[in-house]
Amino acid sequence: KAGVTQTPRYLIKTRGQQVTLSCSPISGHRSVSWYQQTPGQGLQFLFEYFSETQRNKGNFPGRFSGRQFSNSRSEMNVSTLELGDSALYLCASSLGDGNEQFFGPGTRLTVL
Amino acid sequence: DQQVKQNSPSLSVQEGRISILNCDYTNSMFDYFLWYKKYPAEGPTFLISISSIKDKNEDGRFTVFLNKSAKHLSLHIVPSQPGDSAVYFCAASGVGGGSNYKLTFGKGTLLTVNP
């Protein structure tokens, strides 16, 4: 089975711009979660989608949003980028019933 | 408010010896615990998990122990190998739906296994 894929792997943006990241889960997985990893804060949960519905949300501002498509692929959008948004953004998929989550390689976002 | 804590940022052991990584949690609603390993520039890789109904789970060289009363879990790697050198994250979740389908991570422990 192919693993979780994320595109792009690297991205450089400037403050004020917006960005869209994409995640394709493992085939058959219906849950997709997004995490932000920074050196100071570690891995922090952004949100989780299951069957095209946001089922769970972390403590991030409304500039961070996401969606899930009928094929379980998910996108994450960050608007009005700030320098502090520079991070590794990780996507994880699971069957959705509390099982283990499997992570993609991440998208490294740099905001200048 | 850090609900999952890994108090040792780093650990160094000799090849062939035991590595013990520790994790504490504060949220009594957590009932499912996982360990992930992460190499630089890669996503975390699932290692092993344990449900709160158990106190031990073993998979090859990896064993996770859970002490629910102390809200403490540990990962034992025996014998340690240089390829085990990575950052290890402890994570916790609550099984049962609603707001529990998220993982809360510790900040990680960098394990270095010296040849």
Side-chain angles (χ1 to χ4, degrees), chain A residues 44-100:
Chain A
Q44 293 190 289
F45 174 78
L46 280 154
F47 29 66
E48 185 238 358
Y49 286 87
F50 180 81
S51 292
E52 302 178 66
T53 301
Q54 187 180 86
R55 187 164 65 170
N56 207 352
K57 190 176 187 306
N59 298 321
F60 278 80
R63 300 185 298 107
F64 293 82
S65 63
R67 60 178 174 167
Q68 188 180 33
F69 303 94
S70 58
N71 61 358
S72 294
R73 191 177 71 83
S74 176
E75 286 182 348
M76 190 191 95
N77 185 273
V78 188
S79 62
T80 319
L81 283 166
E82 300 176 0
L83 295 178
D85 297 333
S86 294
L88 180 68
Y89 289 89
L90 291 157
C91 159
S93 77
S94 73
L95 292 170
D97 56 355
N99 285 356
E100 295 84 6

Side-chain angles (χ1 to χ4, degrees), chain B residues 56-76:
Chain B
K56 178 182 173 181
N57 189 26
E58 208 168 341
D59 184 2
R61 297 186 297 115
F62 302 92
T63 303
V64 57
F65 294 92
L66 175 63
N67 183 332
K68 235 185 136 182
S69 60
K71 293 191 176 69
H72 176 84
L73 62 153
S74 61
L75 174 68
H76 292 211

Side-chain angles (χ1 to χ4, degrees), chain A residues 9-10 33 35 37 40-45 48 55-58 88 90 96-106, chain B residues 32 34 36 38 41-46 48-49 87 89 93-107:
Chain A
R9 292 293 312 276
Y10 301 92
S33 298
Y35 294 83
Q37 185 184 15
Q41 297 298 320
L43 273 151
Q44 293 190 289
F45 174 78
E48 185 238 358
R55 187 164 65 170
N56 207 352
K57 190 176 187 306
L88 180 68
L90 291 157
D97 56 355
N99 285 356
E100 295 84 6
Q101 296 182 15
F102 297 88
F103 284 81
Chain B
Y32 196 72
L34 309 91
Y36 284 84
K38 187 178 185 302
E42 293 183 13
T45 303
F46 169 73
I48 192 169
S49 62
V87 177
F89 289 98
S93 74
V95 177
S99 63
N100 293 328
Y101 289 104
K102 68 174 188 176
L103 295 179
T104 300
F105 283 85
K107 294 199 173 182

Side-chain angles (χ1 to χ4, degrees), chain B residues 5-65:
Chain B
K5 298 178 187 178
Q6 293 177 257
N7 291 320
S8 298
S10 63
L11 174 68
S12 184
V13 300
Q14 281 302 117
E15 181 178 4
R17 305 294 290 268
I18 183 172
S19 295
I20 300 176
L21 297 107
N22 293 303
C23 178
D24 298 294
Y25 63 97
T26 57
N27 188 340
S28 57
M29 297 301 291
F30 289 145
D31 58 5
Y32 196 72
F33 304 90
L34 309 91
W35 284 94
Y36 284 84
K37 177 168 80 170
K38 187 178 185 302
Y39 294 116
E42 293 183 13
T45 303
F46 169 73
L47 266 179
I48 192 169
S49 62
I50 188 167
S51 161
S52 60
I53 62 172
K54 294 185 172 183
D55 55 17
K56 178 182 173 181
N57 189 26
E58 208 168 341
D59 184 2
R61 297 186 297 115
F62 302 92
T63 303
V64 57
F65 294 92

